[in-house]
Amino acid sequence: MKRLLSRIAVALAVVAGVASVAQTDARAQSEPTIKLGYAKCAHCTPLVLVPDYAKGAKVEAIGFNTGNDVLTALLSKSIDVAQVTYLHYITALDKGFDVVAISGQVEGGSQIVVQNDLPLKENDWDGLKALIAKYKAEGKPFRVAASRGNAQDIHMRGAFAKHGIDVNKDVQFINIPNPSDHIQALRRGEVELICTVEPFATQIVQANAAKLFAYPYDQAAGNLTNLMLTRSDVVAANPKGLESTVKAIVDIDNKIAQDKPLWVGVITKVTGLDKTVAEGAINNLMPDYKMYRKEALAIATMMRDLKYISNDVSAQVEKNLNYQFLEAATGKPKTELGY
């Protein structure tokens, strides 16, 4: 009898285990799924943590080489959520694409660097204006570079305008599309100044290829860079998946703001960068999940003035900032989330 009872107990345990596994599988199968795309930059790499932080949804994080690649994947419905920039958002709206902003992620990452032998100290804007005037008087172009149309391009142009420098008249602008080429352009003496992005900016300064001149955040666009986008069909069909994803982004931002070694580890793992470069880069990056309506409108105005877009998309920029997921994730009203 004792042996029989033991066998029954074992059988019941097996049945219970099978039932538990089946329930777990059923819950997993019922969870909404999200495909999230991100570019492999210092700002963006913390998004590889989203699958681990998302509760109530299965998230797949997919790395792309550039923000343009991520936006293309979103528009072609290959992914559901895209990490891009405010400029991508505004450009997409200008072209009539269906994009909806659902949260911020990380801001900052812009740095203006100048050739080491130029007689300029950090933030010496009067000195820069005088030097540009000297070049002009001598019949030499003062060459400034950026990757046209990215956040650093807009930050630099805004800062120049604020300090009375006309990029179209006072200097010669050179477009260097790939930021990884910026360091060689400086070393070859092809430009006097570049506004570039982290971690390339830190890499340039640490390699002594140029020196820091300024962080160009004192203009209408502020330090805005990254924005998370989805489409209206995903908002309608998968609100729970988006809610879990945004909650994970908020939690990760709060975590990396306090745990810098974690952030450095993610950057070095995803990009293969040297740890010292990653540590320097995050000093110029600001985790921030809010979406900034006023500054987004300012960027749209700047992009139209620069003819980067052809239409006034101010109404769409404001209308397509959807705060419902951030409000659910944080318990705060949109008036406290950048609206």
Side-chain angles (χ1 to χ4, degrees):
M1 176 60 75
K2 187 175 180 181
R3 181 177 295 178
L4 176 61
L5 290 174
S6 176
R7 288 178 177 175
I8 292 173
V10 170
L12 289 174
V14 170
V15 170
V18 170
S20 176
V21 170
Q23 288 172 353
T24 302
D25 288 345
R27 281 197 300 273
Q29 290 174 3
S30 66
E31 286 182 344
T33 61
I34 290 288
K35 287 187 177 182
L36 182 154
Y38 66 94
K40 295 176 182 176
C41 66
H43 298 64
C44 322
T45 51
L47 291 169
V48 302
L49 301 173
V50 172
D52 295 331
Y53 277 68
K55 307 300 181 188
K58 292 172 63 178
V59 180
E60 180 183 359
I62 305 167
F64 291 80
N65 288 330
T66 70
N68 288 335
D69 297 336
V70 182
L71 181 61
T72 300
L74 178 70
L75 297 176
S76 65
K77 300 190 177 181
S78 299
I79 59 175
D80 308 301
V81 175
Q83 167 273 309
V84 290
T85 68
Y86 279 81
L87 280 79
H88 288 106
Y89 172 56
I90 292 162
T91 301
L93 292 174
D94 180 58
K95 295 182 182 300
F97 292 126
D98 172 21
V99 291
V100 179
I102 54 175
S103 84
Q105 191 244 337
V106 171
E107 315 291 10
S110 299
Q111 187 176 153
I112 297 176
V113 297
V114 294
Q115 290 284 3
N116 288 316
D117 59 352
L118 293 180
L120 293 172
K121 294 181 180 178
E122 194 173 324
N123 290 312
D124 181 12
W125 287 96
D126 289 338
L128 177 61
K129 288 173 65 176
L131 188 62
I132 291 171
K134 182 174 181 289
Y135 269 64
K136 187 179 287 187
E138 294 173 352
K140 298 189 299 185
F142 191 93
R143 300 159 299 181
V144 306
S147 299
R148 186 188 295 278
N150 69 6
Q152 290 64 48
D153 181 30
I154 289 291
H155 289 165
M156 181 189 73
R157 290 172 185 272
F160 272 28
K162 179 169 183 178
H163 292 282
I165 300 170
D166 189 325
V167 174
N168 296 318
K169 296 179 179 177
D170 297 332
V171 299
Q172 178 182 336
F173 178 79
I174 296 174
N175 179 35
I176 304 177
N178 191 338
S180 65
D181 296 331
H182 289 178
I183 188 169
Q184 293 305 329
L186 287 160
R187 282 176 166 160
R188 291 193 293 262
E190 295 172 354
V191 294
E192 277 66 51
L193 176 153
I194 289 182
C195 189
T196 189
V197 63
E198 299 291 358
F200 301 107
T202 293
Q203 201 169 26
I204 286 168
V205 174
Q206 289 186 355
N208 200 34
K211 60 184 178 182
L212 167 65
F213 176 70
Y215 297 105
Y217 303 139
D218 61 338
Q219 33 71 40
N223 66 355
L224 296 194
T225 48
N226 281 8
L227 194 62
M228 304 302 300
L229 301 186
T230 186
R231 303 181 308 272
S232 59
D233 63 295
V234 183
V235 174
N238 197 356
K240 288 298 182 184
L242 294 179
E243 187 175 318
S244 296
T245 302
V246 171
K247 178 67 167 62
I249 292 169
V250 169
D251 290 344
I252 291 168
D253 270 7
N254 289 334
K255 179 67 176 177
I256 61 175
Q258 302 297 323
D259 190 345
K260 297 297 176 65
L262 172 66
W263 195 354
V264 169
V266 170
I267 293 173
T268 56
K269 181 179 179 180
V270 175
T271 66
L273 275 173
D274 182 84
K275 182 181 176 184
T276 306
V277 175
E279 289 173 339
I282 64 174
N283 290 328
N284 186 22
L285 299 173
M286 304 89 186
D288 190 349
Y289 49 77
K290 296 179 181 177
M291 298 189 293
Y292 294 91
R293 180 176 59 92
K294 179 181 172 184
E295 288 81 0
L297 292 170
I299 294 173
T301 300
M302 291 168 69
M303 291 178 68
R304 190 180 181 205
D305 291 343
L306 291 166
K307 303 189 185 308
Y308 285 4
I309 59 174
S310 54
N311 302 298
D312 180 359
V313 294
S314 300
Q316 295 96 314
V317 166
E318 187 165 346
K319 177 185 174 186
N320 288 29
L321 290 171
N322 185 331
Y323 286 85
Q324 73 177 86
F325 304 107
L326 271 180
E327 290 180 320
T330 63
K332 297 177 181 177
K334 64 182 182 181
T335 50
E336 296 181 20
L337 295 168
Y339 179 77

